[in-house]
Amino acid sequence: MKYLKYVRDAAVFAPCYIALDWASYINPVGPFNITPWNPQPALAIVWMMMSGLTHAPAVLATIFLADIIIRHVPGGYAITATSAFVLASGYAVIAWALKTLLRDTSLRSPRHLTIFAAVVAAGTGLVGAGFVATLRMSGLLTDIPFSSAWLHFWIGDAVGMLVTAPLLFAAVDSARRSALLNLGRQPEVLLQVATLAATVWLIFEGLGTDPSRHFYLLFLPLIWIAVRYGMNGAILATAIVQIGVVFGIHGNSGMTPPVLELQALMAALTLTGLFLGVMVDERQRAEKRLRQSLRLAAAGEMAGAIAHEVNQPLTAVANYGRSAQMLLTRTPAFDAQIQEIIGKILVETERASEVVRRLRDFFRAGTTRLEVMAIQDLLKTMRRIGESAINGRNISLEVEQAAPLPPLHADRLQIEVILRNLLENSVESLLASENAGGRIKILVRPHDEGRVCIVVADNGPGIPPATRADLFEPFVSGKSTGMGLGLAISRAIAEAHGGTLEAAAAGHGEFHLVLPCLQST
């Protein structure tokens, strides 16, 4: 099965690589036809990054085949095979370096983009030197200075990588791919694309002079797009400009354009657009984090105000209950059941007051009151909270313990707040789905040394992937009447305990709450 997948992927990759090689076959230099723009290495490198270096042999075979089809083996089959081996090996090393150093291929920060540009510049330079040296030692390119041939190859591969790789990274990232597709539906983007196309035409045809003299005009629409749409806009703009430059070179009917100089300018344009785009994205993320911090601060102040206001009537209720108990002791004729009921009122009132006080302390100072909590007590608490949330509805509740576990070291009341949020969300999800036979399962199991995982799962519709990323953000709610603070507060409490709260990527609703426990000695 794995072999068939390998063959299938290679069968898709090879035609795409050859098509890109054919499309970029412009202004070849020397008997081995070195071109100044090569997008196809980006395809090979990104493929090996995503699928693994085991695809290097398929890349080698494809490079060899492309040289036969497009360049017609100018140096013979032996030289072609040797040079293909040098290229495939070099591209594999670049793929390995990018995968090792670049954890996030979405290039979301200046650091990631700098690493990407540095690896591309250094890697393509070394690959170009190895390729040209191989041809020179084989007796080819003797009439062309080594530096000139190497410069053509280096700029061709570097520009191809800088322009094409970010677009390929975006294509394999579902969120960024959707964002790019959405750009095409906006009237302003269509106007910007038309402006880019008109500027390219003006440079190559309208002004009727050396295109490199007026290439700076392209920076204006590129900056416009990058400032408006960040990295996605920059990726789209640089790809359109590169395609425009290719068509401009092919269609130029006047003087022969200085292709090498144009591509050097294209490299500067691309780096400018990408760095501007990533800075715009980072500024927007910083603004979003600031707004969230301000909202959380406002939520903390609101929680303090609510605690202050609610605590007074709760205290009054407790006092009234104690007064009623005192009156009942003086009148023994009253039934003992009334005493029991009033006692329960006092217990729940005290519990509510304590929860309010704890939340107020947590929001104001981040304080927790840690205590030892036996797993059996935790199971009873979860069952009590679950049954209260279900409230007699047709939903089953299962509470299980996977193995003997040490007690938790946590703030009991704050943990109850998390569990109540999760269980009430599960009940609301099951009720909204209107499926018969709703089921909630709570499983307490070991997570790692010193921590326990509480899994709260239901058989509801689950959480869409697009929603899961923002699920714990403040004021983001999937309910029409929700404030969007429940899960944000729950995660904050979990992290204050040294634990985590995550939504599992499953076909149903499932949350994992990880909390510290007492380690056995």
Side-chain angles (χ1 to χ4, degrees), residues 165-407:
L167 191 61
L168 294 175
F169 288 149
V172 298
D173 184 334
S174 59
R176 179 149 277 178
R177 183 172 65 246
S178 299
L180 280 174
L181 293 175
N182 289 333
L183 284 182
R185 302 187 183 98
Q186 301 188 33
E188 184 181 355
V189 175
L190 298 178
L191 175 62
Q192 291 168 335
V193 170
T195 303
L196 275 175
T199 307
V200 172
W201 177 86
L202 184 67
I203 290 172
F204 283 92
E205 295 290 341
L207 297 176
T209 58
D210 181 358
S212 62
R213 293 177 56 189
H214 304 286
F215 200 85
Y216 64 88
L217 294 175
L218 286 168
F219 281 84
L220 300 177
L222 175 78
I223 292 171
W224 177 24
I225 297 174
V227 167
R228 287 287 292 118
Y229 298 105
M231 190 63 164
N232 290 333
I235 291 172
L236 182 64
T238 52
I240 292 172
V241 170
Q242 180 64 85
I243 293 171
V245 169
V246 171
F247 278 107
I249 293 172
H250 274 302
N252 191 275
S253 55
M255 66 178 69
T256 302
V259 179
L260 186 63
E261 187 175 347
L262 283 173
Q263 288 303 86
L265 290 170
M266 186 67 209
L269 181 78
T270 300
L271 288 173
T272 300
L274 292 178
F275 274 100
L276 181 59
V278 80
M279 292 299 293
V280 169
D281 282 356
E282 191 165 72
R283 185 198 67 189
Q284 291 174 348
R285 287 194 296 271
E287 290 176 350
K288 183 179 179 182
R289 287 193 296 268
L290 178 60
R291 287 194 298 269
Q292 290 171 355
S293 298
L294 292 174
R295 287 177 175 179
L296 275 178
E301 292 298 321
M302 183 175 65
I306 291 173
H308 177 74
E309 296 298 327
V310 172
N311 200 47
Q312 291 181 355
L314 286 174
T315 302
V317 170
N319 290 333
Y320 292 146
R322 292 190 187 96
S323 299
Q325 280 185 326
M326 291 174 61
L327 291 173
L328 286 173
T329 56
R330 298 174 186 175
T331 313
F334 283 94
D335 193 271
Q337 289 182 346
I338 298 178
Q339 286 273 17
E340 182 182 355
I341 292 171
I342 294 176
K344 290 182 178 178
I345 292 174
L346 293 174
V347 169
E348 293 304 320
T349 302
E350 183 59 32
R351 181 193 300 274
S353 298
E354 186 66 16
V355 169
V356 169
R357 284 195 296 272
R358 294 282 185 92
L359 283 178
R360 180 189 60 195
D361 294 343
F362 175 74
F363 271 110
R364 286 185 172 177
T367 57
T368 56
R369 300 180 188 177
L370 301 179
E371 58 183 289
V372 177
M373 187 176 184
I375 294 297
Q376 291 303 316
D377 291 342
L378 174 67
L379 296 175
K380 291 177 182 177
T381 298
M382 290 188 295
R383 183 171 293 280
R384 172 177 56 80
I385 295 173
E387 290 174 349
S388 174
I390 292 170
N391 195 23
R393 299 182 181 95
N394 186 26
I395 298 174
S396 64
L397 176 66
E398 301 176 24
V399 181
E400 296 181 7
Q401 178 181 350
L405 294 167

Side-chain angles (χ1 to χ4, degrees), residues 79-153:
I79 301 302
T80 299
T82 303
S83 62
F85 177 79
V86 171
L87 293 179
S89 301
Y91 297 155
V93 171
I94 294 175
W96 171 82
L98 286 175
K99 189 171 184 178
T100 303
L101 300 174
L102 201 64
R103 299 295 183 184
D104 184 7
T105 57
S106 58
L107 306 177
R108 295 183 187 276
S109 71
R111 177 178 175 273
H112 289 142
L113 184 56
T114 301
I115 291 173
F116 167 73
V119 171
V120 167
T124 53
L126 292 174
V127 171
F131 178 78
V132 174
T134 301
L135 300 185
R136 180 60 65 90
M137 287 187 295
S138 302
L140 300 170
L141 298 180
T142 52
D143 297 333
I144 302 172
F146 180 93
S147 59
S148 176
W150 171 78
L151 190 62
H152 273 78
F153 191 94

